[in-house]
Amino acid sequence: RAVPIPPSLIDALELVHDIRKKKRSRVKSKLLWEWSRVSAWRYVKEVMDQAGIGEGPHASPKGLRHGFGVEAVSKGIPLNILKKWLGHAQLSTTAIYADAVGEEEKTIASRMWS
């Protein structure tokens, strides 16, 4: 899927990889990055196996990202900082991580009394 990126990033990629020239020439060129999506998934899966992350919905890049967001909220990271780290455009998107239940909710609530 397309991911919007700032013009400054395109400029930086242009300096290193000459992407605008390659796009104009329509000549099949070397990949911008050596990893494919499948290769990246293999590396992520290998790291999850080494970390002892078992099967389940959390055992995916999306699950890891969500777990990071919930853990950050549990550790008291302000939502505006987490918003920046996760690259969200709207604070309401980041606020989803603060809607914890179960053990995460207890952890967050315990900070109030410590």
Side-chain angles (χ1 to χ4, degrees), residues 5-109:
I5 58 174
S8 60
L9 178 56
I10 293 289
D11 294 339
L13 290 170
E14 173 64 19
L15 286 172
V16 177
H17 299 287
D18 217 13
I19 59 175
R20 289 185 180 116
K21 181 179 176 185
K22 290 175 184 174
K23 186 175 180 181
R24 282 191 304 269
S25 72
R26 300 211 185 258
V27 173
K28 186 156 178 109
S29 61
K30 184 179 168 188
L31 294 173
L32 186 57
W33 289 279
E34 295 178 9
W35 290 8
S36 68
R37 186 177 66 79
V38 174
S39 296
W41 169 246
R42 273 194 225 115
Y43 291 126
V44 169
K45 183 70 173 138
E46 183 180 321
V47 169
M48 287 189 304
D49 290 343
Q50 290 176 7
I53 298 172
E55 296 296 319
H58 59 284
S60 68
K62 183 177 179 179
L64 293 173
R65 179 180 166 88
H66 184 78
F68 173 82
V70 170
E71 185 67 15
V73 169
S74 296
K75 298 289 186 189
I77 302 299
L79 285 180
N80 63 317
I81 300 295
L82 184 57
K83 173 187 172 283
K84 184 167 82 171
W85 291 353
L86 294 175
H88 293 153
Q90 302 292 323
L91 191 60
S92 59
T93 304
T94 312
I96 291 167
Y97 297 102
D99 191 19
V101 294
E103 198 58 41
E104 289 90 7
E105 183 178 17
K106 289 178 185 176
T107 301
I108 293 167

